[in-house]
Amino acid sequence: MKAVTWQGVHDMQVTDVPDPRIEEPTDVIIKVTSTGLCGSDLHLYETLGAFMEPGDIVGHEPMGIVEEIGSEVTQLAVGDRVVVPFNVSCGSCWMCDRHLYSQCETTQNREHGTGASFFGYSKLYGQVPGGQAEYLRVPFGNFLPVKVPQEHPDDRFLFLSDVLPTAWQGLKYADVPDGGTLLVLGAGPIGDMAARMGVRAGHRVISVDRVPERLARVQAFGAEVLNLDDLKGGGAVAEVVREMTDGRGADSVIDAVGMEAHGSPVAQGVQKFVGLLPDAIAEPMMKKAGIDRLAALHTALDAVRRGGTVSLSGVYGGAVDPMPMFQMFDKQVQLRMGQANVRAHTDELLEMLLEDDPFGVDAFATHHLPLAEAPDAYKHFQKKEEGMVKVVFKP
């Protein structure tokens, strides 16, 4: 089959790889009909290259049709249409019983000190073959895949794999009070969706980005927008937000940027340098060195009001990064974060999507491309070119 594979830093290729097969009696094989390109995939494209091996199949936002089922699969049948959450979670361990699916003890990666495995996401998270491919093996077939109706195009349900539950959890963690103001940093796929959800929930939403096309999308959905380039830096964002909120700051902030933030040239240079080192040296450095680009997080902590909440949906990687602890303590900031526990939210979100399109998912993707165009799509997406916000590949 054809699949998008990592071959080196900034080198994604579509190659021929062996077809997946049933390995456990609870496995299912799906024929992928749509699969997303996520901002987190850009971390593999550059920053987390030390944890990748040539030939690794990437992608963690797939959906498709069940082609084959294992002997113990009772909840699905051949021909069913399913969405696959990015967490590889068993559904029955101690963590899963508490709906902490991103911490599943059955698939935790104790060697690297990380939580549940992900599809298509490096040795840090299990090195499980990903979903930017023509076919995909999905374990835990009686729990993990989300069965969806045959009606509606793929885009109505595809984003249950990641975008919708990640934004939904980010909004819940933000704990916006009634009548409160939510500041969303970043208008990429997660920030865009979080802003839409915040507007729909009745909050005042202020969205910050530096790409006009992205700001236009959230503005059309009802958010107020601030262009970072017009404000000349994160400190100015906090000042403007305070001016907009009676001098207090936002009640809640969602950081949907993470370590892809601009404005940290030293950290960016160190990340690139580490990526050139042999894996045996680079891996521990990437896990332990404090080299994240913290511009977005610092902006969030500055812009949130005293006693407010900061919700981190953007991914950070360094272990000993400097944090403004005095400011956080003095402002009595509540900080919540973590990978989305996807399966905890899919049933609730699916119910919303069955009869209506409250978050505009039918028109959410900016590009639908054949799998063969994936290498160019990665390049354009990283550089925020071609108006790319959300890319869906059609194998």
Side-chain angles (χ1 to χ4, degrees), residues 319-332:
V320 290
D321 283 297
M323 292 286 289
M325 294 303 298
F326 173 78
Q327 181 189 41
M328 294 165 64
F329 182 84
D330 181 64
K331 291 182 71 171
Q332 200 170 336

Side-chain angles (χ1 to χ4, degrees), residues 94-105 116 173 341 344:
W94 192 92
M95 288 290 181
C96 287
D97 283 346
R98 287 151 181 82
H99 295 175
L100 294 170
Y101 299 115
S102 66
Q103 311 302 326
C104 174
E105 291 182 321
Y173 280 8
N341 302 300

Side-chain angles (χ1 to χ4, degrees), residues 13 31 41 52 56-58 69 76 79 88 91 99 101 103 110 134 143 183 206 247 274 288 290 375:
Q13 298 180 21
K31 178 179 174 59
D41 292 325
M52 299 294 288
D56 282 350
I57 302 173
V58 296
I69 62 174
L76 292 173
V88 184
H99 295 175
Y101 299 115
Q103 311 302 326
R110 294 170 178 82
E134 293 180 316
F143 168 74
L183 175 66
I206 305 170
V274 173
K288 298 186 181 300

Side-chain angles (χ1 to χ4, degrees), residues 2-287:
K2 299 289 186 183
V4 182
T5 59
W6 187 92
Q7 299 297 335
V9 174
H10 294 171
D11 186 9
M12 295 294 189
Q13 298 180 21
V14 178
T15 60
D16 291 309
V17 300
D19 290 351
R21 57 182 179 81
I22 298 289
E23 298 178 13
E24 300 291 339
T26 53
D27 288 348
V28 302
I29 304 295
I30 70 164
K31 178 179 174 59
V32 178
T33 55
S34 292
T35 182
L37 172 58
C38 178
S40 295
D41 292 325
L42 297 181
H43 303 154
L44 308 180
Y45 192 59
E46 179 175 272
T47 310
L48 298 179
F51 299 98
M52 299 294 288
E53 293 182 356
D56 282 350
I57 302 173
V58 296
H60 58 271
E61 298 183 348
M63 69 174 292
I65 304 299
V66 175
E67 288 269 311
E68 186 179 357
I69 62 174
S71 60
E72 295 181 10
V73 174
T74 58
Q75 301 301 306
L76 292 173
V78 171
D80 282 346
R81 188 187 194 197
V82 297
V83 175
V84 182
F86 73 83
N87 315 124
V88 184
S89 49
C90 71
S92 59
C93 68
W94 192 92
M95 288 290 181
C96 287
D97 283 346
R98 287 151 181 82
H99 295 175
L100 294 170
Y101 299 115
S102 66
Q103 311 302 326
C104 174
E105 291 182 321
T106 303
T107 70
Q108 271 183 25
N109 295 278
R110 294 170 178 82
E111 175 187 355
H112 293 286
T114 55
S117 294
F118 299 167
F119 287 99
Y121 215 76
S122 83
K123 288 184 283 187
L124 273 179
Y125 289 99
Q127 210 168 16
V128 181
Q132 289 177 10
E134 293 180 316
Y135 294 90
L136 177 69
R137 181 182 76 90
V138 182
F140 310 115
N142 288 321
F143 168 74
L144 185 59
V146 181
K147 185 177 177 180
V148 298
Q150 299 291 345
E151 295 80 22
H152 302 294
D154 279 6
D155 283 24
R156 173 64 65 92
F157 304 114
L158 174 64
F159 305 113
L160 289 168
S161 60
D162 183 352
V163 174
L164 286 166
T166 296
W168 191 247
Q169 179 172 297
L171 182 61
K172 286 187 173 184
Y173 280 8
D175 195 24
V176 188
D178 290 342
T181 297
L182 170 66
L183 175 66
V184 181
L185 301 178
I190 303 302
D192 184 334
M193 186 56 69
R196 296 177 186 217
M197 290 176 167
V199 169
R200 185 179 182 275
H203 307 310
R204 180 191 186 187
V205 177
I206 305 170
S207 181
V208 181
D209 204 284
R210 64 196 319 149
V211 181
E213 296 89 347
R214 296 186 174 197
L215 291 173
R217 283 165 56 97
V218 294
Q219 188 174 39
F221 218 85
E224 300 171 57
V225 298
L226 297 174
N227 189 312
L228 184 62
D229 287 340
D230 293 341
L231 299 176
K232 298 180 174 59
V237 170
E239 292 177 11
V240 171
V241 170
R242 281 191 284 271
E243 291 173 2
M244 299 170 70
T245 55
D246 298 322
R248 296 188 185 92
D251 297 291
S252 306
V253 182
I254 294 177
D255 172 3
V257 180
M259 63 183 175
E260 288 298 318
H262 293 267
S264 304
V266 174
Q268 184 177 12
V270 173
Q271 287 174 339
K272 289 184 177 180
F273 168 73
V274 173
L276 298 175
L277 296 174
D279 287 356
I281 300 173
E283 287 182 17
M285 286 188 68
M286 286 298 295
K287 284 195 286 187

